[in-house]
Amino acid sequence: MDLALFDLDETLICEDSTSLWLRWLVSQGFASSDLIAEEQQLMTQYYAGTLSIEEYMNKTLAPLAGMATLTVEGWVRRFIHRDIMPRVFPAARERIEWHQQRGDKVMIISASGEHLVIPIAERLGAYGALAIGVEVVNDRYSGQTYGTMTYKDGKVTRLTDWKALQEGEAFERTWAYSDSMNDLPLLAQADHAHVINPDALLHQEAMSRGWEVCHWAR
């Protein structure tokens, strides 16, 4: 059995799930519109590879602080139906199905919060997901994170920890799919690395390493 690892944002879907989520919260009156501009400033740092993921998560989790988990789960279901599923690349669906038909284990590994990534992974039919831990205290979101962040080298750390828990299961090969230079550590440890709609820098990196370049479109 092989392991297939998919980044989520701008790899499986054509936009960023957290950015879409904040826009959804604002559209429903659950967050201030100022949050969108603040998040976009942080995303500029993300694309430059200079983002503090702790600062980003603190900012984007703030609207959920004190909210009941059941309430947010209902919001997330509506959000995924309206804003995520229509943005899934058809080629991404086909690739997930290809791996599943081969008997591979499909995992989504994302630098977005688990409150979004886990239910999205379920809707996409993935085996599971590794994402940034979002703290819950007494069935309410605290607005804080926990554990190792699935960002840059943190993705490899979390993946290694997850593999160690898979009792009696050894993966023959690993496939990795991502659009981002931030995922270079994850791509580099894969037997088969695929870059999705890369920018010029990642495209050059892929060419130098012999990685497959994919152009997925809606």
Side-chain angles (χ1 to χ4, degrees), residues 143-191:
Q144 303 299 310
T145 60
Y146 68 89
T148 300
M149 302 281 192
T150 42
Y151 179 60
K152 294 188 173 180
D153 290 295
K155 283 194 175 183
V156 176
T157 300
R158 287 284 304 282
L159 178 63
T160 301
D161 293 345
W162 177 83
K163 282 182 176 180
L165 297 174
Q166 307 309 299
E167 296 181 0
E169 196 159 302
F171 300 105
E172 294 180 22
R173 292 173 298 177
T174 299
W175 304 65
Y177 301 81
S178 178
D179 72 292
S180 175
M181 277 293 289
N182 290 310
D183 282 340
L184 205 56
L186 182 70
L187 292 165
Q189 61 84 49
D191 299 294

Short mmCIF file of all heavy atoms in Angstrom, two decimals, residues 143-191:
data_model
loop_
_atom_site.label_atom_id
_atom_site.label_comp_id
_atom_site.label_asym_id
_atom_site.label_seq_id
_atom_site.Cartn_x
_atom_site.Cartn_y
_atom_site.Cartn_z
N GLY A 143 -10.05 29.71 20.85
CA GLY A 143 -9.38 30.67 19.99
C GLY A 143 -7.88 30.42 19.91
O GLY A 143 -7.15 31.19 19.27
N GLN A 144 -7.41 29.34 20.57
CA GLN A 144 -5.99 29.01 20.59
C GLN A 144 -5.74 27.71 19.81
O GLN A 144 -6.66 26.95 19.51
CB GLN A 144 -5.50 28.85 22.03
CG GLN A 144 -5.73 30.07 22.90
CD GLN A 144 -5.00 31.30 22.38
OE1 GLN A 144 -3.81 31.24 22.09
NE2 GLN A 144 -5.72 32.42 22.27
N THR A 145 -4.47 27.46 19.54
CA THR A 145 -4.06 26.23 18.87
C THR A 145 -3.33 25.33 19.87
O THR A 145 -3.03 25.73 20.99
CB THR A 145 -3.13 26.52 17.68
OG1 THR A 145 -1.96 27.19 18.16
CG2 THR A 145 -3.84 27.39 16.65
N TYR A 146 -3.03 24.10 19.43
CA TYR A 146 -2.24 23.20 20.26
C TYR A 146 -1.38 22.32 19.35
O TYR A 146 -1.70 22.11 18.18
CB TYR A 146 -3.14 22.32 21.14
CG TYR A 146 -3.95 21.30 20.37
CD1 TYR A 146 -3.44 20.03 20.10
CD2 TYR A 146 -5.23 21.60 19.90
CE1 TYR A 146 -4.18 19.09 19.39
CE2 TYR A 146 -5.98 20.68 19.20
CZ TYR A 146 -5.45 19.42 18.95
OH TYR A 146 -6.19 18.50 18.23
N GLY A 147 -0.31 21.81 19.91
CA GLY A 147 0.52 20.84 19.20
C GLY A 147 1.41 21.46 18.13
O GLY A 147 1.49 22.68 17.97
N THR A 148 2.09 20.58 17.40
CA THR A 148 2.98 20.99 16.32
C THR A 148 2.17 21.47 15.13
O THR A 148 1.24 20.78 14.68
CB THR A 148 3.88 19.81 15.88
OG1 THR A 148 4.66 19.38 17.00
CG2 THR A 148 4.81 20.22 14.75
N MET A 149 2.49 22.64 14.63
CA MET A 149 1.76 23.20 13.49
C MET A 149 2.11 22.45 12.20
O MET A 149 3.29 22.20 11.92
CB MET A 149 2.13 24.68 13.31
CG MET A 149 1.86 25.55 14.51
SD MET A 149 0.12 25.98 14.63
CE MET A 149 0.19 27.26 15.87
N THR A 150 1.11 22.11 11.42
CA THR A 150 1.34 21.46 10.12
C THR A 150 1.69 22.53 9.09
O THR A 150 0.91 22.82 8.16
CB THR A 150 0.10 20.67 9.68
OG1 THR A 150 -1.07 21.46 9.96
CG2 THR A 150 0.01 19.34 10.38
N TYR A 151 2.88 23.09 9.25
CA TYR A 151 3.33 24.18 8.39
C TYR A 151 4.82 24.01 8.17
O TYR A 151 5.58 23.81 9.13
CB TYR A 151 3.03 25.52 9.05
CG TYR A 151 3.47 26.76 8.28
CD1 TYR A 151 2.96 27.01 7.01
CD2 TYR A 151 4.36 27.66 8.83
CE1 TYR A 151 3.34 28.14 6.30
CE2 TYR A 151 4.75 28.81 8.14
CZ TYR A 151 4.23 29.04 6.87
OH TYR A 151 4.62 30.16 6.17
N LYS A 152 5.26 24.06 6.91
CA LYS A 152 6.66 23.87 6.55
C LYS A 152 7.16 22.53 7.13
O LYS A 152 6.56 21.49 6.91
CB LYS A 152 7.49 25.06 6.99
CG LYS A 152 7.15 26.35 6.23
CD LYS A 152 8.13 27.46 6.55
CE LYS A 152 7.89 28.68 5.67
NZ LYS A 152 8.84 29.77 5.96
N ASP A 153 8.27 22.56 7.89
CA ASP A 153 8.82 21.31 8.45
C ASP A 153 7.84 20.63 9.41
O ASP A 153 7.94 19.42 9.64
CB ASP A 153 10.13 21.60 9.18
CG ASP A 153 11.26 21.98 8.23
OD1 ASP A 153 11.65 21.13 7.42
OD2 ASP A 153 11.74 23.13 8.30
N GLY A 154 6.92 21.41 9.96
CA GLY A 154 5.94 20.84 10.87
C GLY A 154 5.07 19.78 10.22
O GLY A 154 4.58 18.87 10.89
N LYS A 155 4.87 19.89 8.91
CA LYS A 155 4.08 18.86 8.22
C LYS A 155 4.81 17.52 8.27
O LYS A 155 4.19 16.47 8.49
CB LYS A 155 3.82 19.26 6.77
CG LYS A 155 2.73 20.30 6.60
CD LYS A 155 2.27 20.42 5.16
CE LYS A 155 1.09 21.38 5.01
NZ LYS A 155 0.57 21.46 3.63
N VAL A 156 6.11 17.54 8.07
CA VAL A 156 6.90 16.31 8.10
C VAL A 156 6.92 15.73 9.52
O VAL A 156 6.79 14.52 9.71
CB VAL A 156 8.32 16.56 7.59
CG1 VAL A 156 9.17 15.29 7.70
CG2 VAL A 156 8.29 17.04 6.13
N THR A 157 7.05 16.60 10.52
CA THR A 157 7.04 16.15 11.91
C THR A 157 5.73 15.47 12.26
O THR A 157 5.71 14.37 12.82
CB THR A 157 7.27 17.34 12.86
OG1 THR A 157 8.53 17.94 12.56
CG2 THR A 157 7.24 16.89 14.31
N ARG A 158 4.62 16.11 11.91
CA ARG A 158 3.30 15.53 12.21
C ARG A 158 3.08 14.24 11.44
O ARG A 158 2.49 13.29 11.96
CB ARG A 158 2.20 16.55 11.88
CG ARG A 158 2.08 17.71 12.85
CD ARG A 158 1.41 17.30 14.16
NE ARG A 158 0.10 16.72 13.94
CZ ARG A 158 -1.00 17.42 13.67
NH1 ARG A 158 -0.97 18.74 13.63
NH2 ARG A 158 -2.16 16.80 13.48
N LEU A 159 3.54 14.21 10.21
CA LEU A 159 3.39 12.99 9.40
C LEU A 159 4.19 11.84 10.01
O LEU A 159 3.70 10.71 10.10
CB LEU A 159 3.85 13.26 7.97
CG LEU A 159 3.80 12.07 7.01
CD1 LEU A 159 2.37 11.59 6.82
CD2 LEU A 159 4.43 12.45 5.66
N THR A 160 5.40 12.12 10.45
CA THR A 160 6.23 11.10 11.08
C THR A 160 5.56 10.56 12.34
O THR A 160 5.54 9.34 12.57
CB THR A 160 7.62 11.68 11.42
OG1 THR A 160 8.25 12.14 10.22
CG2 THR A 160 8.50 10.63 12.08
N ASP A 161 5.01 11.46 13.14
CA ASP A 161 4.31 11.04 14.37
C ASP A 161 3.09 10.19 14.02
O ASP A 161 2.80 9.19 14.70
CB ASP A 161 3.88 12.27 15.18
CG ASP A 161 5.07 13.03 15.76
OD1 ASP A 161 6.18 12.48 15.78
OD2 ASP A 161 4.87 14.20 16.16
N TRP A 162 2.36 10.59 12.97
CA TRP A 162 1.17 9.84 12.57
C TRP A 162 1.55 8.45 12.08
O TRP A 162 0.91 7.45 12.45
CB TRP A 162 0.43 10.61 11.47
CG TRP A 162 -0.76 9.88 10.93
CD1 TRP A 162 -2.02 9.84 11.46
CD2 TRP A 162 -0.81 9.08 9.73
NE1 TRP A 162 -2.84 9.06 10.68
CE2 TRP A 162 -2.12 8.59 9.61
CE3 TRP A 162 0.13 8.75 8.76
CZ2 TRP A 162 -2.51 7.77 8.55
CZ3 TRP A 162 -0.26 7.93 7.71
CH2 TRP A 162 -1.57 7.45 7.61
N LYS A 163 2.59 8.36 11.29
CA LYS A 163 3.03 7.05 10.78
C LYS A 163 3.40 6.11 11.92
O LYS A 163 3.13 4.90 11.86
CB LYS A 163 4.23 7.22 9.85
CG LYS A 163 3.90 7.71 8.46
CD LYS A 163 5.18 7.80 7.63
CE LYS A 163 4.93 8.18 6.20
NZ LYS A 163 6.19 8.26 5.43
N ALA A 164 4.01 6.66 12.96
CA ALA A 164 4.44 5.84 14.09
C ALA A 164 3.25 5.20 14.81
O ALA A 164 3.41 4.18 15.49
CB ALA A 164 5.26 6.68 15.07
N LEU A 165 2.08 5.80 14.65
CA LEU A 165 0.87 5.28 15.31
C LEU A 165 0.11 4.27 14.45
O LEU A 165 -0.86 3.67 14.92
CB LEU A 165 -0.06 6.44 15.66
CG LEU A 165 0.48 7.46 16.68
CD1 LEU A 165 -0.50 8.62 16.83
CD2 LEU A 165 0.75 6.80 18.02
N GLN A 166 0.54 4.09 13.21
CA GLN A 166 -0.15 3.17 12.31
C GLN A 166 0.41 1.76 12.52
O GLN A 166 1.32 1.31 11.84
CB GLN A 166 0.02 3.60 10.85
CG GLN A 166 -0.36 5.04 10.58
CD GLN A 166 -1.74 5.40 11.10
OE1 GLN A 166 -2.74 4.82 10.69
NE2 GLN A 166 -1.80 6.37 12.02
N GLU A 167 -0.15 1.07 13.49
CA GLU A 167 0.38 -0.21 13.93
C GLU A 167 0.36 -1.24 12.80
O GLU A 167 -0.66 -1.49 12.18
CB GLU A 167 -0.43 -0.73 15.11
CG GLU A 167 -0.31 0.15 16.36
CD GLU A 167 -1.10 -0.41 17.52
OE1 GLU A 167 -1.73 -1.47 17.33
OE2 GLU A 167 -1.09 0.22 18.59
N GLY A 168 1.52 -1.83 12.57
CA GLY A 168 1.64 -2.90 11.60
C GLY A 168 1.42 -2.48 10.16
O GLY A 168 1.22 -3.33 9.29
N GLU A 169 1.46 -1.19 9.89
CA GLU A 169 1.20 -0.70 8.54
C GLU A 169 2.42 0.03 8.00
O GLU A 169 2.81 1.07 8.51
CB GLU A 169 -0.01 0.24 8.55
CG GLU A 169 -0.59 0.47 7.16
CD GLU A 169 -2.02 0.95 7.24
OE1 GLU A 169 -2.87 0.24 7.81
OE2 GLU A 169 -2.29 2.04 6.73
N ALA A 170 3.03 -0.57 6.99
CA ALA A 170 4.20 0.04 6.35
C ALA A 170 3.83 0.44 4.94
O ALA A 170 3.26 -0.36 4.19
CB ALA A 170 5.36 -0.94 6.34
N PHE A 171 4.10 1.68 4.59
CA PHE A 171 3.78 2.17 3.25
C PHE A 171 4.97 1.96 2.33
O PHE A 171 6.10 2.31 2.67
CB PHE A 171 3.40 3.66 3.32
CG PHE A 171 2.21 3.93 4.19
CD1 PHE A 171 2.35 4.50 5.45
CD2 PHE A 171 0.93 3.58 3.78
CE1 PHE A 171 1.27 4.75 6.26
CE2 PHE A 171 -0.17 3.82 4.59
CZ PHE A 171 0.00 4.40 5.83
N GLU A 172 4.69 1.38 1.17
CA GLU A 172 5.77 1.10 0.23
C GLU A 172 6.37 2.39 -0.33
O GLU A 172 7.58 2.56 -0.37
CB GLU A 172 5.26 0.21 -0.91
CG GLU A 172 4.85 -1.19 -0.44
CD GLU A 172 4.36 -2.04 -1.60
OE1 GLU A 172 4.71 -1.73 -2.76
OE2 GLU A 172 3.63 -3.02 -1.34
N ARG A 173 5.49 3.28 -0.78
CA ARG A 173 5.94 4.54 -1.36
C ARG A 173 5.01 5.66 -0.91
O ARG A 173 3.87 5.43 -0.55
CB ARG A 173 5.96 4.46 -2.89
CG ARG A 173 7.00 3.52 -3.47
CD ARG A 173 6.83 3.37 -4.96
NE ARG A 173 5.53 2.79 -5.30
CZ ARG A 173 5.09 2.61 -6.55
NH1 ARG A 173 5.83 2.98 -7.57
NH2 ARG A 173 3.91 2.08 -6.78
N THR A 174 5.54 6.87 -0.97
CA THR A 174 4.76 8.05 -0.61
C THR A 174 4.64 8.97 -1.82
O THR A 174 5.64 9.24 -2.51
CB THR A 174 5.42 8.82 0.56
OG1 THR A 174 5.50 7.97 1.70
CG2 THR A 174 4.61 10.05 0.92
N TRP A 175 3.43 9.44 -2.06
CA TRP A 175 3.15 10.42 -3.11
C TRP A 175 2.75 11.72 -2.41
O TRP A 175 2.01 11.69 -1.42
CB TRP A 175 1.99 9.97 -3.98
CG TRP A 175 2.16 8.62 -4.62
CD1 TRP A 175 2.23 7.41 -3.99
CD2 TRP A 175 2.26 8.35 -6.02
NE1 TRP A 175 2.37 6.40 -4.90
CE2 TRP A 175 2.39 6.94 -6.16
CE3 TRP A 175 2.24 9.14 -7.17
CZ2 TRP A 175 2.51 6.32 -7.40
CZ3 TRP A 175 2.35 8.53 -8.41
CH2 TRP A 175 2.49 7.14 -8.51
N ALA A 176 3.23 12.85 -2.91
CA ALA A 176 2.88 14.14 -2.30
C ALA A 176 2.49 15.14 -3.38
O ALA A 176 3.14 15.20 -4.44
CB ALA A 176 4.04 14.68 -1.48
N TYR A 177 1.46 15.92 -3.09
CA TYR A 177 0.92 16.91 -4.03
C TYR A 177 0.79 18.24 -3.32
O TYR A 177 0.15 18.33 -2.26
CB TYR A 177 -0.47 16.48 -4.53
CG TYR A 177 -0.49 15.14 -5.23
CD1 TYR A 177 -0.53 13.95 -4.51
CD2 TYR A 177 -0.49 15.06 -6.63
CE1 TYR A 177 -0.56 12.72 -5.14
CE2 TYR A 177 -0.51 13.83 -7.27
CZ TYR A 177 -0.55 12.67 -6.52
OH TYR A 177 -0.57 11.45 -7.16
N SER A 178 1.38 19.31 -3.88
CA SER A 178 1.25 20.63 -3.27
C SER A 178 1.54 21.72 -4.30
O SER A 178 2.25 21.49 -5.28
CB SER A 178 2.20 20.79 -2.09
OG SER A 178 2.10 22.10 -1.55
N ASP A 179 1.00 22.90 -4.02
CA ASP A 179 1.22 24.08 -4.87
C ASP A 179 2.27 25.00 -4.31
O ASP A 179 2.63 25.99 -4.96
CB ASP A 179 -0.09 24.88 -4.97
CG ASP A 179 -0.39 25.58 -3.64
OD1 ASP A 179 -0.68 24.89 -2.65
OD2 ASP A 179 -0.29 26.82 -3.59
N SER A 180 2.79 24.74 -3.09
CA SER A 180 3.48 25.77 -2.33
C SER A 180 4.94 25.46 -2.03
O SER A 180 5.27 24.33 -1.63
CB SER A 180 2.73 26.00 -1.00
OG SER A 180 3.42 26.92 -0.19
N MET A 181 5.79 26.49 -2.13
CA MET A 181 7.18 26.36 -1.69
C MET A 181 7.27 26.07 -0.20
O MET A 181 8.25 25.50 0.27
CB MET A 181 7.95 27.64 -2.01
CG MET A 181 8.46 27.74 -3.43
SD MET A 181 9.75 26.53 -3.84
CE MET A 181 11.13 27.18 -2.89
N ASN A 182 6.25 26.46 0.55
CA ASN A 182 6.24 26.17 1.99
C ASN A 182 6.21 24.67 2.26
O ASN A 182 6.53 24.23 3.36
CB ASN A 182 5.05 26.85 2.67
CG ASN A 182 5.21 28.36 2.72
OD1 ASN A 182 6.24 28.86 3.14
ND2 ASN A 182 4.20 29.08 2.28
N ASP A 183 5.78 23.89 1.26
CA ASP A 183 5.71 22.44 1.40
C ASP A 183 6.93 21.73 0.83
O ASP A 183 6.90 20.51 0.62
CB ASP A 183 4.44 21.90 0.74
CG ASP A 183 3.21 22.12 1.60
OD1 ASP A 183 3.36 22.33 2.81
OD2 ASP A 183 2.08 22.09 1.05
N LEU A 184 7.99 22.45 0.60
CA LEU A 184 9.21 21.84 0.07
C LEU A 184 9.69 20.67 0.94
O LEU A 184 10.06 19.62 0.41
CB LEU A 184 10.30 22.90 -0.07
CG LEU A 184 11.39 22.63 -1.11
CD1 LEU A 184 10.82 22.40 -2.49
CD2 LEU A 184 12.37 23.80 -1.14
N PRO A 185 9.67 20.80 2.29
CA PRO A 185 10.10 19.65 3.10
C PRO A 185 9.23 18.41 2.88
O PRO A 185 9.74 17.29 2.85
CB PRO A 185 9.96 20.18 4.54
CG PRO A 185 10.08 21.66 4.42
CD PRO A 185 9.40 21.99 3.11
N LEU A 186 7.92 18.62 2.72
CA LEU A 186 7.01 17.49 2.49
C LEU A 186 7.25 16.87 1.13
O LEU A 186 7.33 15.64 1.00
CB LEU A 186 5.56 17.97 2.60
CG LEU A 186 4.49 16.88 2.43
CD1 LEU A 186 4.48 15.95 3.63
CD2 LEU A 186 3.11 17.51 2.24
N LEU A 187 7.39 17.69 0.11
CA LEU A 187 7.63 17.19 -1.24
C LEU A 187 8.96 16.46 -1.33
O LEU A 187 9.07 15.42 -2.00
CB LEU A 187 7.59 18.35 -2.24
CG LEU A 187 6.23 19.02 -2.46
CD1 LEU A 187 6.41 20.37 -3.16
CD2 LEU A 187 5.29 18.12 -3.26
N ALA A 188 9.96 16.97 -0.63
CA ALA A 188 11.30 16.40 -0.72
C ALA A 188 11.39 15.01 -0.11
O ALA A 188 12.24 14.20 -0.52
CB ALA A 188 12.31 17.33 -0.05
N GLN A 189 10.50 14.69 0.85
CA GLN A 189 10.58 13.37 1.48
C GLN A 189 9.73 12.33 0.75
O GLN A 189 9.74 11.15 1.12
CB GLN A 189 10.17 13.47 2.95
CG GLN A 189 8.75 13.94 3.21
CD GLN A 189 7.70 12.85 3.14
OE1 GLN A 189 7.84 11.81 3.73
NE2 GLN A 189 6.63 13.11 2.38
N ALA A 190 9.01 12.74 -0.29
CA ALA A 190 8.14 11.82 -1.01
C ALA A 190 8.91 11.06 -2.09
O ALA A 190 9.89 11.55 -2.66
CB ALA A 190 6.99 12.59 -1.66
N ASP A 191 8.45 9.85 -2.38
CA ASP A 191 9.01 9.08 -3.50
C ASP A 191 8.54 9.65 -4.83
O ASP A 191 9.28 9.61 -5.82
CB ASP A 191 8.58 7.62 -3.38
CG ASP A 191 9.07 6.98 -2.09
OD1 ASP A 191 10.30 6.83 -1.93
OD2 ASP A 191 8.22 6.65 -1.25
#
